[in-house]
Amino acid sequence: MKLRQKIIVFATVPLVLALCIIAFTVYHHATDLSKAQQEVIQPAFRAIKQAELKSYVTLARHSIAHLYESGRTDAAAMEEAKAILTRLDYSEDGYFFVYDLKGTLLVHPRRPELIGHNRLEYKDVNGYPTIQSLISRANEGGGYVQYATEKPTTRLPVLKLTYVIPLPEWGWVIGTGIYLDDVENALATVDAQVSSNNFDTMRWIGAIAFLGVVVVITSGLVLSIRERHAAQAEEQVRLAGELHDDICQRLVSARLQAETGIIQLTGISEQFTPAQSTFERMAAQLDNILGDIRKIAHERYPDTISPGLDLAASLLRLAHDMKNAATPIEFTTVGITEDLSGSVHKVLYRVAQGALRNVMEHAAARQAWMRLERSKRGVVLTIRDNGNGFDAGRIDSDPRFGMSLRNMKKRLEEIGGHLKIDSTSSGTTVIATIPLSLLHYLLHYFLPKP
């Protein structure tokens, strides 16, 4: 594993571990908080339900108080009281029931078929003696009894909290109950909210962890790109220096020796004339090779790309160096280009260099124009000539044609730009466009300047 990769790993792993520990801690505390809330909510709900039941039973007793407190114990008074209690519903599952002290059911609006039956031995699904407990609690002066019974609306057994009071003058036990699945539903709602909050928290922590890893990896990649560009630039400088300082000097030395040989063969007998011609051809070839190598060295590390020149100044010097008597180059610029990143500077310079070389070598143009325009949206470089043009479709269809144009296109795409080529028999226009977005500023601050 390379050092750069190790740095990324060592930066990423602690971050992920720290966020995992935070996530675990948050989840653990949230779970404890949920349990604590339940411990507070459940007794509170139960107290509310108990007070509610007591109020209902008090209301029921008041509804028949004019009969019970009148001192009447006749059947007619009791039947009228039963009728009042039967009609006294307060919800779909809220009703009042009455038992006598022997366990006979006297009032039950939801189960009228059981009225008149003795249910003293009735037990709930858990074997709890329900009716005996209700009568016993009423004989104690009233109170609460909890048991499992069938809920009328669902026909399913659920826990029910009942409050009963005695009517001793009539030998009655009157009461009502509330099904506790409502309390369980309320607690389940709290649990669901806590779970939802935990999920949202975990999701945010996961998103932060992901973004943190992305930032670390992206920073590593940006630094890697910067180092690679710096290394490439350094290698280009080294190669250019070797070409110029070493190989060129050797070729100059060889050419001087050839020229010395020509001078030494001047004026001698005709039998050495072929040797003199050979030395002359050698000197000419060395001169051509020397010019080509200097050109390559210049292209690898052009003096015009320097920290002291912005792109406009670099292109102006390029236009001046490349023009000739047959094809003058007119250069114009619009907007400020001093703040362009080194990558944008270099790519557009290479595009201009390649496009102008094509004009000089292939277009047979009488005039060329180059325009650099900078706006808020981006920078546009346009190179136009009035030469004989070419078939632009061959660039994509023929791999042996248009290599320099494909290189331009590739260079631009690497930094988010694009190349447009329009060529006819009356001339060619090459347009290089680079949008100046966030990418531009990243390149400007993280990649080496020209």
Side-chain angles (χ1 to χ4, degrees):
M1 185 181 292
K2 295 181 179 179
L3 178 60
R4 188 184 306 111
Q5 295 173 333
K6 291 181 180 179
I7 293 174
I8 293 175
V9 170
F10 289 144
T12 304
V13 171
L15 173 64
V16 173
L17 288 176
L19 289 172
C20 288
I21 293 173
I22 292 172
F24 175 78
T25 303
V26 170
Y27 181 82
H28 178 71
H29 284 296
T31 303
D32 290 344
L33 178 62
S34 174
K35 293 179 180 178
Q37 286 178 333
Q38 288 187 3
E39 292 175 356
V40 173
I41 292 173
Q42 192 168 13
F45 265 78
R46 192 177 184 88
I48 291 172
K49 295 300 183 182
Q50 288 177 345
E52 187 178 348
L53 286 175
K54 198 169 185 178
S55 297
Y56 287 150
V57 173
T58 301
L59 176 64
R61 190 182 186 287
H62 286 170
S63 69
I64 61 173
H66 65 285
L67 298 171
Y68 180 72
E69 294 176 0
S70 67
R72 294 174 58 186
T73 58
D74 57 282
M78 292 184 182
E79 289 299 325
E80 185 178 352
K82 290 177 185 179
I84 292 173
L85 293 174
T86 299
R87 296 192 300 269
L88 199 62
D89 291 349
Y90 55 88
S91 68
E92 191 174 11
D93 292 312
Y95 59 89
F96 295 93
F97 60 83
V98 176
Y99 285 91
D100 65 18
L101 295 178
K102 295 180 180 180
T104 301
L105 182 62
L106 303 177
V107 175
H108 198 307
R110 300 296 185 270
R111 301 292 299 274
E113 71 276 8
L114 297 178
I115 293 176
H117 289 75
N118 187 282
R119 306 188 72 211
L120 188 64
E121 301 301 325
Y122 172 77
K123 297 180 180 179
D124 69 2
V125 294
N126 298 318
Y128 182 74
T130 305
I131 309 305
Q132 295 176 22
S133 298
L134 292 174
I135 295 172
S136 175
R137 187 56 54 89
N139 288 332
E140 295 172 358
Y144 299 96
V145 178
Q146 181 174 304
Y147 54 92
T149 187
E150 184 181 274
K151 189 175 184 179
T153 54
T154 63
R155 298 296 182 184
L156 297 174
V158 296
L159 285 178
K160 185 176 183 178
L161 180 65
T162 300
Y163 182 72
V164 293
I165 61 172
L167 296 179
E169 298 298 327
W170 288 357
W172 283 9
V173 174
I174 180 173
T176 187
I178 293 178
Y179 297 94
L180 297 180
D181 57 340
D182 294 339
V183 177
E184 295 174 356
N185 291 336
L187 294 175
T189 300
V190 172
D191 284 340
Q193 291 176 346
V194 171
S195 297
S196 177
N197 292 337
N198 283 345
F199 177 77
D200 291 340
T201 302
M202 295 302 105
R203 185 172 58 183
W204 277 107
I205 292 175
I208 293 171
F210 175 76
L211 290 176
V213 172
V214 169
V215 169
V216 171
I217 294 176
T218 302
S219 300
L221 291 176
V222 170
L223 292 174
S224 177
I225 293 172
R226 182 176 182 180
E227 290 177 3
R228 191 182 304 117
H229 277 258
Q232 290 175 350
E234 192 174 316
E235 181 65 13
Q236 287 183 0
V237 172
R238 187 186 67 79
L239 290 175
E242 288 186 1
L243 287 173
H244 186 273
D245 298 335
D246 186 16
I247 297 178
C248 284
Q249 295 301 322
R250 293 183 184 182
L251 289 173
V252 168
S253 176
R255 187 187 64 181
L256 290 175
Q257 292 180 31
E259 291 176 350
T260 301
I262 294 171
I263 294 171
Q264 291 175 347
L265 292 172
T266 302
I268 63 177
S269 61
E270 293 183 359
Q271 62 179 350
F272 295 104
T273 301
Q276 186 177 14
S277 300
T278 300
F279 274 107
E280 290 175 350
R281 288 194 299 272
M282 181 188 300
Q285 290 177 358
L286 288 172
D287 196 50
N288 290 334
I289 294 173
L290 186 60
D292 291 340
I293 290 178
R294 283 175 173 168
K295 181 179 179 182
I296 293 172
H298 178 74
E299 290 177 349
R300 290 293 87 193
Y301 186 59
D303 295 335
T304 48
I305 298 183
S306 63
L309 293 177
D310 66 357
L311 180 58
S314 298
L315 294 179
L316 177 62
R317 180 176 294 183
L318 177 67
H320 180 270
D321 292 342
M322 295 193 69
K323 70 179 181 179
N324 55 45
T327 310
I329 302 172
E330 180 181 326
F331 175 70
T332 57
T333 181
V334 177
I336 300 173
T337 60
E338 286 88 348
D339 64 334
L340 293 176
S341 71
S343 181
V344 172
H345 188 151
K346 181 177 179 180
V347 168
L348 289 181
Y349 183 89
R350 294 301 189 193
V351 169
Q353 192 177 50
L356 291 177
R357 185 183 299 113
N358 288 339
V359 171
M360 298 301 165
E361 295 179 359
H362 306 296
R366 298 184 305 276
Q367 177 72 46
W369 296 266
M370 181 165 58
R371 175 186 172 89
L372 177 65
E373 182 177 359
R374 164 72 184 276
S375 66
K376 293 181 179 179
R377 292 180 296 178
V379 56
V380 179
L381 175 64
T382 304
I383 297 96
R384 181 169 59 89
D385 67 74
N386 57 4
N388 47 28
F390 60 93
D391 181 8
R394 290 183 61 191
I395 298 173
D396 296 323
S397 60
D398 187 353
R400 296 171 298 178
F401 180 81
M403 183 178 294
S404 63
L405 294 172
R406 282 195 294 272
N407 289 338
M408 295 178 202
K409 183 178 180 181
K410 182 178 179 181
R411 286 177 182 271
L412 285 164
E413 290 175 348
E414 287 177 352
I415 61 170
H418 57 86
L419 185 71
K420 180 181 178 182
I421 302 171
D422 183 17
S423 185
T424 65
S425 58
S426 58
T428 299
T429 302
V430 176
I431 303 175
T433 304
I434 301 178
L436 297 183
S437 59
L438 177 62
L439 172 64
H440 166 72
Y441 293 102
L442 287 174
L443 293 171
H444 179 68
Y445 286 108
F446 288 104
L447 294 183
K449 302 297 185 293

